[in-house]
Amino acid sequence: MRIVIVAETFLPAVNGVTHSVLKMLEHFASRGDEVLVIAPSGAGGTEPVGGRTVRVHRLPAVPLAGYGSVRVALGGVTRVRNILADFAPDIVHLASPFELGWRAMRAAEQLGIPVVAVYQTDVPGYAARYGVPFLANWAWQRVENIHAGAVRTLAPSSSAVDQLRGHGIPRVHLWRRGVDTRRFHPGRRDPALRLALAPGGERLIGYVGRLAAEKQVEDLRVLADIANTRLVIIGDGPLRGALQEALPSAVFTGFLGGEELATAVASLDLFVHPGELETFCQTIQEAMAAGVPVVATGRGGPVDLVDVSRTGWLYPPGDLNQLRAHVADLMGDDAKRQAFAEAAFASVQGRTWPVLCELLVQHYEEVVVEHELLRL
């Protein structure tokens, strides 16, 4: 197939959207598909490896005020339409569309190219979390307009599917995310790293992700004094300094990637995720693949991923006493934690990226047929 992926965010930014797009590119390259990525420009980023089958067209971009790692592409609908017309794709894939995705949707409509839109970021929820709730209605209007124009919308969790349908968005289908079960594996657990992180032999409670307002990492302060534990914060972001002040006893590793991240995750005893705006939460899957049980907020994507009382615990949003109780329960019971760890590992086997990407290709093929039928 000839595929255009319009990525609202891309390398060098590392996040869930970028990660998903890179995994798709690997799969499409292995199939021999011709792929063009349209993305904002980024300083110092390397392009994905795909040989002659993957090309990247960078649009001039400016950093988002207050969140410099996110860049907003410039250029109007006409510019995007010309890029699409030159490439002549079979399908356009909008990855977490909002601003660039809106322009690409309109350009594809003008050219009669079918569109698949993948919902991955709760932008309206982010607006409220960043103190601008008056923008949430406008953000939802933009989301509705984009996804209503797609031949098919793919959402990563049952919660996201329900959320979109509740806003009247049609043709919503569930498409989950894959996990690299070879990279994230219990065999990567490293005693030397554990000793470096906790010289006193403490159990390790870990978080992985951006250090930004929407992740609610500050909620982990309620775990600071659980006996014989050490909190490990893996990641970076605009709130790192403030969080280091709020969590003085925690270890902050900064950003980790590749094998280094996989080793760090496998070396944890428990994974925690307090964010309430996750449409999926890939880091939960990666922790489970590494044989690490999970405690997460019972809202959004984690609800699908965590099997309560078997692979981990979910707590009501905002109930930090319950968060602490669940963490203390698992950290104080080695046998239970080990049973949860084994169940977590087993639960994600078979959710590999090649399997999920083949399902995506099936969606593409069905959408192309549906689009042709609508034109008759």
Side-chain angles (χ1 to χ4, degrees), residues 148-372:
V151 179
R152 185 171 296 191
T153 285
L154 304 180
S157 64
S158 57
S159 173
V161 169
D162 292 342
Q163 184 184 36
L164 294 173
R165 288 176 177 167
H167 279 266
I169 295 171
R171 302 177 295 277
V172 181
H173 295 251
L174 181 66
W175 179 63
R176 303 190 189 276
R177 301 293 177 268
V179 62
D180 187 342
T181 53
R182 288 182 295 179
R183 183 157 71 100
F184 292 95
H185 189 275
R188 293 191 179 275
R189 190 174 178 89
D190 184 349
L193 176 60
R194 288 176 55 80
L195 183 61
L197 293 172
E202 299 91 345
R203 304 295 191 196
L204 299 180
I205 306 167
Y207 163 85
V208 178
R210 290 193 306 279
L211 306 186
E214 70 274 10
K215 301 300 184 180
Q216 300 171 243
V217 183
E218 69 277 7
D219 289 353
L220 301 183
R221 66 186 182 278
V222 300
L223 310 179
D225 62 348
I226 295 178
N228 195 36
T229 66
R230 174 63 58 85
L231 186 60
V232 180
I233 307 296
I234 302 170
D236 209 342
L239 293 187
R240 179 171 177 175
L243 289 168
Q244 286 178 311
E245 291 184 10
L247 302 167
S249 62
V251 176
F252 285 76
T253 69
F255 173 80
L256 299 179
E259 305 304 315
E260 195 176 19
L261 173 62
T263 297
V265 171
S267 298
L268 300 174
D269 295 295
L270 181 68
F271 183 85
V272 290
H273 200 291
E276 298 174 15
L277 299 178
E278 299 297 322
T279 59
F280 184 72
C281 201
Q282 179 67 8
T283 54
I284 285 180
Q285 271 205 147
E286 291 169 348
M288 295 168 78
V292 180
V294 174
V295 175
T297 186
R299 183 181 187 274
V303 174
D304 284 359
L305 296 173
V306 179
D307 187 352
V308 172
S309 192
R310 196 176 76 87
T311 65
W313 294 111
L314 297 173
Y315 64 93
D319 190 343
L320 302 188
N321 289 330
Q322 191 73 280
L323 163 62
R324 178 186 167 86
H326 285 319
V327 170
D329 168 59
L330 285 174
M331 299 310 282
D333 189 331
D334 290 347
K336 179 187 287 188
R337 191 175 64 252
Q338 181 60 32
F340 276 37
E342 292 172 1
F345 172 78
S347 72
V348 299
Q349 302 309 303
R351 297 187 198 170
T352 64
W353 273 109
V355 170
L356 272 295
C357 286
E358 272 306 302
L359 291 174
L360 178 62
V361 171
Q362 290 179 28
H363 282 293
Y364 287 171
E365 292 170 345
E366 292 169 5
V367 162
V368 170
V369 171
E370 290 171 17
H371 183 70
E372 288 301 317

